[in-house]
Amino acid sequence: MITLHPSSIRGEVWIPSSKSQTIRALLIAFFSHGTSIIRNPLISADTQSCISVLETLGASIEYRDNTLHVDSSSITLTEDDEITLDCGNSGTTTYLLYGLLGTLPFRKIILTGDDQLRRRPVKPLVDAYNDLGMNASCTAEGTPPVEITGHLRGGRTSIECRTSQYLSSLLLSLPLADKDSVVDVPLLYEKPYVSMTLSWLDRQKIRYRISSDLQHLEVEGRQHYTAFDETITGDFSSASFFFTAAALTGCTLTLRGLDMNDSQGDKGVLDILSAMGCTVSHSENAITVKGPSQLKGGTFDINAMPDSLPTLSILGAVTDSPLHLTNVKNARIKETDRIACMSENLRQLGLQVDEEEDGMIIHPGPVKGGLTVSGYQDHRIIMAMAILSLIIEGGLTIDDEKAAQVTFPTFFTLLDSVKKEKDK
């Protein structure tokens, strides 16, 4: 439990590295069957879960001088092995690793995780991989644990991707399949994360063809990954909390360690903040956000960046008109149903919120202080509520802050570093 008090903010923040990029790097490093170097990785609960799983599979992974050294050159799995892999809370690890496992020797692999992860939908991916030669099953509810007893052959499948991680999983695994593959994608959310995966394939010189709308994919099989030396850039999802802090308080913050050329989807938060009246400027390695005296409301489609829903929703408390976040139904299938959970928290604090199937409308108004809200053991909800506390007279208590370590273990330390005494 943590109690936070209102404050103005100013200064600079170095943003930690991208979780999504770090996990992609770890997986490609492992399946390169060599020794790779990952510089400036994110070390958090989710990336530690990925590291633990790869070590269970036989990798030697050493962290020193802010660098991960991944050696997978002497994996000793055999066709007789039966292994259970615990991915903790890391949905990224679970989804992206799943198909890649089908390229290893084993008798049976069980892929599981914590209570939250075991509620996340996986059946569309199970069905797709079964089309592609893997023999796999999940629970009757369509969630992990996933049991795998067959190998990835390749072929043809169609899959609706309400999370982009389904398609990223296929993109990463199919180059290693026994034969060529064709994938049709009639529905795709979170497209920028697919672009992130494609950038890794391009660096690895993987041969594929994909339509401009990312809904038809052809991948050559019998390819391989090569050991590499890469540096991970800052995480725009983590940065969005500090962008929002500046917008919410009308203050100015400069964030460092980010690359505006990165394909991360949450970079789009800056466009929304600009439309809401913020001043956004950037140089080679710094982005500065200055909040206005009054934020503008409006309607924003955030399908490409569903992780930003908790962060952006808190701004509705101080806009000049309702804030409508829409086309983000996939926010309901993250660690929690983030639309429902954020709606409940904001209502508890006195705001009017209209919950929609694919979004929410937040009406501006005074926010009650001195209350306790739930973090729902969801890192993004916890951090969003912590940012909202900056404007709550009487303070705000969050019932459990520990889950923030999933992606941003230094969040509260960095927030404290830019807090100033409440302006008189």
Side-chain angles (χ1 to χ4, degrees):
M1 185 173 290
I2 187 171
T3 299
L4 302 165
H5 300 284
S7 176
S8 60
I9 56 172
R10 64 178 180 271
E12 294 187 351
V13 177
W14 275 92
I15 295 299
S17 299
S18 166
K19 175 194 79 169
S20 299
Q21 297 280 31
T22 300
I23 290 177
R24 282 163 173 77
L26 281 164
L27 295 177
I28 290 173
F30 178 84
F31 285 90
S32 72
H33 303 296
T35 300
S36 294
I37 297 174
I38 305 171
R39 302 182 189 277
N40 194 38
L42 176 70
I43 302 300
S44 70
D46 269 12
T47 57
Q48 291 280 20
S49 291
C50 185
I51 289 169
S52 176
V53 163
L54 298 182
E55 288 177 332
T56 300
L57 289 170
S60 173
I61 302 178
E62 182 180 357
Y63 179 68
R64 63 178 186 271
D65 300 326
N66 197 32
T67 302
L68 284 167
H69 300 258
V70 183
D71 182 358
S72 58
S73 59
S74 57
I75 298 171
T76 57
L77 287 175
T78 72
E79 296 284 354
D80 295 325
D81 284 322
E82 297 187 3
I83 301 173
T84 296
L85 301 174
D86 185 351
C87 297
N89 188 250
S90 181
T92 305
T93 300
T94 304
Y95 290 136
L96 300 194
L97 177 63
Y98 174 25
L100 287 164
L101 292 172
T103 69
L104 298 174
F106 61 88
R107 180 188 298 275
K108 179 170 69 176
I109 293 180
I110 295 174
L111 201 57
T112 188
D114 66 10
D115 289 344
Q116 279 188 339
L117 189 138
R118 293 198 304 272
R119 293 194 295 269
R120 300 185 73 168
V122 73
K123 190 172 188 303
L125 202 53
V126 169
D127 291 344
Y129 276 122
N130 282 339
D131 289 343
L132 296 165
M134 290 176 67
N135 183 22
S137 61
C138 56
T139 69
E141 291 75 31
T143 59
V146 176
E147 182 176 297
I148 306 167
T149 56
H151 294 271
L152 182 64
R153 306 302 180 195
R156 183 159 199 150
T157 191
S158 176
I159 182 171
E160 290 192 351
C161 296
R162 296 186 181 276
T163 167
S164 64
Q165 290 175 343
Y166 293 168
L167 184 52
S168 286
S169 177
L170 291 161
L171 282 166
L172 289 172
S173 63
L174 289 177
L176 309 185
D178 295 338
K179 60 183 181 180
D180 299 350
S181 298
V182 176
V183 181
D184 291 309
V185 189
L187 177 70
L188 175 60
Y189 293 161
E190 309 171 317
K191 288 184 179 181
Y193 284 96
V194 176
S195 298
M196 180 190 300
T197 304
L198 291 173
S199 71
W200 278 98
L201 298 188
D202 292 342
R203 277 176 272 178
Q204 286 284 318
K205 297 180 171 53
I206 295 298
R207 298 180 298 279
Y208 66 89
R209 292 176 294 280
I210 193 165
S211 62
S212 59
D213 60 4
L214 307 183
Q215 293 188 296
H216 180 79
L217 169 69
E218 299 174 11
V219 183
E220 293 184 33
R222 304 168 300 280
Q223 299 187 69
H224 65 274
Y225 290 124
T226 304
F228 59 85
D229 184 334
E230 297 276 2
T231 299
I232 306 300
T233 57
D235 188 71
F236 275 91
S237 294
S238 297
S240 68
F241 294 101
F242 287 92
F243 294 149
T244 303
L248 185 74
T249 60
C251 296
T252 301
L253 277 181
T254 295
L255 279 62
R256 297 191 177 275
L258 298 163
D259 180 2
M260 285 297 291
N261 294 317
D262 199 294
S263 57
Q264 296 177 50
D266 280 16
K267 186 170 57 176
V269 167
L270 293 170
D271 294 329
I272 292 176
L273 295 182
S274 293
M276 296 179 74
C278 295
T279 301
V280 178
S281 59
H282 59 87
S283 59
E284 183 177 355
N285 196 40
I287 300 172
T288 298
V289 175
K290 180 180 180 180
S293 57
Q294 175 68 70
L295 281 171
K296 301 173 185 176
T299 298
F300 300 98
D301 183 327
I302 58 170
N303 181 269
M305 44 182 164
D307 285 343
S308 71
L309 178 127
T311 327
L312 291 172
S313 68
I314 64 173
L315 296 178
V318 297
T319 47
D320 62 3
S321 60
L323 175 63
H324 186 192
L325 304 176
T326 188
N327 195 21
V328 68
K329 188 175 181 180
N330 41 338
R332 292 192 181 275
I333 58 170
K334 297 293 183 176
E335 285 83 341
T336 59
D337 180 339
R338 287 176 174 159
I339 295 174
C341 293
M342 286 304 300
S343 295
E344 176 61 27
N345 273 353
L346 294 178
R347 289 189 188 112
Q348 187 178 341
L349 295 175
L351 297 173
Q352 178 187 339
V353 180
D354 303 328
E355 183 178 334
E356 301 178 321
E357 182 181 10
D358 69 342
M360 55 196 298
I361 302 171
I362 306 96
H363 298 264
V367 184
K368 298 177 183 177
L371 299 177
T372 299
V373 296
S374 177
Y376 295 95
Q377 296 184 321
D378 185 322
H379 54 124
R380 300 201 189 279
I381 291 177
I382 291 166
M383 291 187 283
M385 300 312 296
I387 296 301
L388 183 57
S389 74
L390 292 169
I391 63 162
I392 299 180
E393 296 295 340
L396 177 69
T397 299
I398 304 170
D399 65 356
D400 186 356
E401 78 282 9
K402 296 183 182 63
Q405 297 182 24
V406 166
T407 53
F408 203 160
T410 59
F411 170 77
F412 286 102
T413 300
L414 291 177
L415 182 59
D416 283 343
S417 74
V418 294
K419 277 186 171 184
K420 310 301 173 186
E421 288 191 14
K422 186 69 176 177
D423 294 337
K424 302 283 186 189

